[in-house]
Amino acid sequence: MFTLQLPRGRTLSLARPIVMGILNVTPDSFSDGGKFNQIDNAVKQALVLLDEGAQIIDIGGESTRPGAPDVSLQDELQRVIPVVKALRAISDCVISIDTSKPEVMVQAIEAGADIINDVRALQEVGALAVLARYPDVPVCLMHMKGAPRTMQVAPQYDNLLAEIQAFLEARIEACVSAGIQRQRIILDPGFGFGKTLKHNFDLLGQFEAFEQQKLPVLAGLSRKSMFGQLLSRDANERLAASLAGAMLCAQKGAHIIRVHDVKETVDVLNVLHAACNGVEHE
């Protein structure tokens, strides 16, 4: 069982899988781009996700879909920091900031963010030093082969799982060397980030392999193109596939499921928990 230590003396139990609700404050994210890029709308959506059962709100201001353009530091700050401040002003919920930029990390943490979720695994210059400065802030390290603009251009692996695990272990070692305690780290194998359809489903089928690092594991496959390619479904038609993926990942050891469809995913996880552990009352 894992428990994450959070700022202001708070904790987050991962004794059973929990849901991270996605809040994209971008104009161009693949699934919900432009819907929540006004502060009031973003905060209202965050409250909806919390009411539906999300235990973490993951706020992102830069789309990382395949081919996505880079976002300037100033644009990303203007998108995310006011939302973090506004949400923190009315809620003590757990806020994650989805960013790779060290300055965004600093300003988000100072504004009230609790977790850093970095698709580049703290590889940007200065990112490790930022997390070392904030010893009560957990960080999620994700595997990505390449960069968002080019990651889906014929990615190849000699051994998919071994290479992902080796990358994550190297990033864990870099964190520890920088003064970031191992128990603060969450791992994300990175569905859809530099992986073909076959890679993604091989990863899903062997997801339990990531338990060997003995750290919390995040699964982020909500509405992803792996389901669109397999089933010929547009992003807004991938709910059933996303729920199937969430169920499989939870069964195979995921601690955090990052999703757009919070209410439905919480229902799935509650059914799984009841089936595996029984129910307390008739």
Side-chain angles (χ1 to χ4, degrees), residues 143 157 160-161 164-165 188-193 195-211 217-228 230-231 238-254 256-259 268-269 272:
H143 173 271
Y157 298 84
L160 177 69
L161 284 177
I164 294 173
Q165 289 174 321
D188 178 355
F191 286 103
F193 284 81
K195 298 169 183 74
T196 65
L197 179 65
K198 175 174 170 49
H199 294 148
N200 283 314
F201 278 94
D202 286 348
L203 184 58
L204 179 57
Q206 301 175 76
F207 194 84
E208 66 276 5
F210 295 96
E211 291 183 320
V217 183
L218 181 149
L221 36 58
S222 177
R223 302 186 191 174
K224 287 204 168 174
S225 61
M226 58 188 283
F227 300 128
L230 182 73
L231 305 171
R238 299 173 190 167
L239 174 59
S242 298
L243 294 177
M247 172 75 85
L248 286 167
C249 287
Q251 290 176 313
K252 291 173 175 286
I256 302 171
I257 313 292
R258 183 180 182 273
V259 302
V268 163
L269 295 181
L272 176 62

Side-chain angles (χ1 to χ4, degrees), residues 108-170:
I109 292 169
E110 293 295 335
D114 302 293
I115 298 171
I116 299 298
N117 182 18
D118 185 2
V119 299
R120 293 177 176 84
L122 301 185
Q123 293 184 95
E124 295 295 309
V125 175
L128 285 166
V130 169
L131 267 294
R133 284 169 50 192
Y134 295 96
D136 54 355
V137 175
V139 58
C140 184
L141 308 175
M142 194 196 77
H143 173 271
M144 172 170 55
K145 192 177 184 74
R149 282 190 177 185
T150 59
M151 63 187 178
Q152 290 307 105
V153 180
Q156 296 182 356
Y157 298 84
D158 293 326
N159 186 316
L160 177 69
L161 284 177
E163 290 179 43
I164 294 173
Q165 289 174 321
F167 170 86
L168 292 174
E169 195 58 50

Side-chain angles (χ1 to χ4, degrees), residues 13-249:
S13 173
L14 301 178
R16 55 183 287 191
I18 65 171
V19 169
M20 171 186 276
I22 297 169
L23 183 62
N24 287 319
V25 289
T26 61
D28 59 346
S29 290
F30 81 95
S31 180
D32 52 4
K35 292 178 68 176
F36 308 117
N37 60 344
Q38 300 296 321
I39 297 173
D40 289 346
N41 288 343
V43 172
K44 287 178 183 176
Q45 176 63 8
L47 295 177
V48 168
L49 297 177
L50 291 168
D51 187 60
E52 291 179 344
Q55 293 194 44
I56 305 171
I57 300 298
D58 191 42
I59 300 172
E62 179 179 17
S63 175
T64 52
R65 76 187 193 284
D70 294 334
V71 174
S72 72
L73 171 61
Q74 194 57 38
D75 282 349
E76 190 173 343
L77 288 170
Q78 289 176 348
R79 291 173 183 179
V80 301
I81 301 304
V83 177
V84 173
K85 289 180 176 179
L87 181 56
R88 177 55 72 226
I90 61 171
S91 173
D92 196 39
C93 69
V94 180
I95 299 174
S96 168
I97 183 74
D98 182 357
T99 188
S100 297
K101 296 182 176 68
E103 183 60 26
V104 177
M105 296 176 188
V106 170
Q107 292 198 31
I109 292 169
E110 293 295 335
D114 302 293
I115 298 171
I116 299 298
N117 182 18
D118 185 2
V119 299
R120 293 177 176 84
L122 301 185
Q123 293 184 95
E124 295 295 309
V125 175
L128 285 166
V130 169
L131 267 294
R133 284 169 50 192
Y134 295 96
D136 54 355
V137 175
V139 58
C140 184
L141 308 175
M142 194 196 77
H143 173 271
M144 172 170 55
K145 192 177 184 74
R149 282 190 177 185
T150 59
M151 63 187 178
Q152 290 307 105
V153 180
Q156 296 182 356
Y157 298 84
D158 293 326
N159 186 316
L160 177 69
L161 284 177
E163 290 179 43
I164 294 173
Q165 289 174 321
F167 170 86
L168 292 174
E169 195 58 50
R171 296 314 301 156
I172 293 168
E173 291 177 7
C175 286
V176 172
S177 296
I180 301 166
Q181 294 178 316
R182 185 181 175 93
Q183 60 264 33
R184 294 167 53 192
I185 297 172
I186 304 161
L187 303 178
D188 178 355
F191 286 103
F193 284 81
K195 298 169 183 74
T196 65
L197 179 65
K198 175 174 170 49
H199 294 148
N200 283 314
F201 278 94
D202 286 348
L203 184 58
L204 179 57
Q206 301 175 76
F207 194 84
E208 66 276 5
F210 295 96
E211 291 183 320
Q212 71 182 47
Q213 266 95 2
K214 301 188 185 307
L215 289 170
V217 183
L218 181 149
L221 36 58
S222 177
R223 302 186 191 174
K224 287 204 168 174
S225 61
M226 58 188 283
F227 300 128
Q229 293 171 29
L230 182 73
L231 305 171
S232 299
R233 297 282 188 266
D234 292 334
N236 61 359
E237 298 177 315
R238 299 173 190 167
L239 174 59
S242 298
L243 294 177
M247 172 75 85
L248 286 167
C249 287

